[in-house]
Structure formats: C-alpha cells, structure tokens
Amino acid sequence: GGEPTLIKKHFVYLEKLIEKGFNDNIELWYNLNLTNVDDELLEYWKKFKKCSISASIDDLYERNEFIRSGSIWEITFQNLKKLQKYDWIDLSVVQTISLYNIENIAEFYKFVVIDHKIPIHINWVYDPFVEIDLNIA
C-alpha cells in the first residue's frame, strides 16, 4: 500500500535487490490504486520470482474517482488492462464496499469478473459505524 510506485526510493530498493541477486527468491505483492504503472516499473517486476498486484478499485467510472480521490478512471482502467496483458503478473481487484458503492456491486462484478476475467476480493468499511433505521414505513 501507500502507492510505492510514486516513491523514487522504491525503484532504488528493487534495483539493489536485483544487483545482489535476491530477486530470484522474492515474490512481490502490491496493493495499488493503479494511478502510476510505467514501463520502467514493469521491467523491474518481471525480474522477480513472482509479482502479485491487488488493484484497489471500488467502483466504475466517475464513481471510483469520487471514492478514490485523485484517481482518474481512464488511467486506472488503462493500467488495469496493461497489467492484464502479462501472464507473469498475478492480477486481482480488491473492492472496498461502503455506502458509496453498495448499490453498484452487481455492475462492478459483471465488469471486472465477467467482462474482463479478473478475480475480485472484497473489503468492507467498518468505521465510522453508522446506525441505519430499517423501520421503513
């Protein structure tokens, strides 16, 4: 987490692991918002034993932009498709369910799993606790 793709020292760290020959025994696993997936990063990743990417995407289109402030759907989706091309990347989507996207779960599932063949893992928002009155007249 923490968007390591935006941290320059992250690249230095990967480079040092490769220089020392540790990369053949290391499995990388990232949780990313997919805001920054450049070709230089892919070149590093493919030198490791395994690379797993859990893409933090909570909804589609502008709804994801609202939930994940600072993200741009076109870039997120472009990077998702880019990562899906590589058979050496174990790609999945992690969706955090909240009041903002609960009504769109079926549409999201269809888009990600059915249309694009990417598995989804689910997180739930637990805080802040919101009490809902279910006594609907």
Side-chain angles (χ1 to χ4, degrees), residues 25-54:
N25 298 316
I26 294 176
E27 296 182 10
L28 303 172
W29 180 17
Y30 293 87
N31 291 308
L32 301 173
N33 291 336
L34 299 187
T35 56
N36 182 45
V37 180
D38 63 22
D39 292 337
E40 178 186 11
L41 186 58
L42 292 168
E43 289 299 316
Y44 282 113
W45 286 348
K46 74 179 181 181
K47 295 177 181 175
F48 285 82
K49 181 177 180 180
K50 181 178 177 183
C51 184
S52 298
I53 307 295
S54 298

Side-chain angles (χ1 to χ4, degrees), residues 75-86:
I75 293 172
T76 301
F77 184 55
Q78 177 183 26
N79 283 329
L80 187 69
K81 290 190 308 185
K82 180 186 215 178
L83 293 177
Q84 194 176 24
K85 292 179 191 176
Y86 300 102

Side-chain angles (χ1 to χ4, degrees), residues 33-35 37 55 57 59-61 64-65 71-85 91 93 108 111-112 115-118:
N33 291 336
L34 299 187
T35 56
V37 180
I57 304 173
D59 211 332
L60 304 174
Y61 318 113
N64 190 68
E65 293 175 3
S71 69
I72 298 169
W73 175 253
E74 291 79 20
I75 293 172
T76 301
F77 184 55
Q78 177 183 26
N79 283 329
L80 187 69
K81 290 190 308 185
K82 180 186 215 178
L83 293 177
Q84 194 176 24
K85 292 179 191 176
L91 180 63
V93 168
F108 188 82
F111 184 88
V112 175
D115 297 346
H116 295 284
K117 310 292 186 245
I118 302 170

Side-chain angles (χ1 to χ4, degrees), residues 7 14 20 22 27 42 44 48 56 62 65 82 120:
I7 301 168
L14 293 176
K20 297 203 179 280
F22 298 141
E27 296 182 10
L42 292 168
Y44 282 113
F48 285 82
S56 299
E62 70 279 348
E65 293 175 3
K82 180 186 215 178
I120 295 178

Side-chain angles (χ1 to χ4, degrees), residues 8 40 55 57 66 90:
K8 295 297 178 199
E40 178 186 11
I57 304 173
F66 176 77
D90 181 25

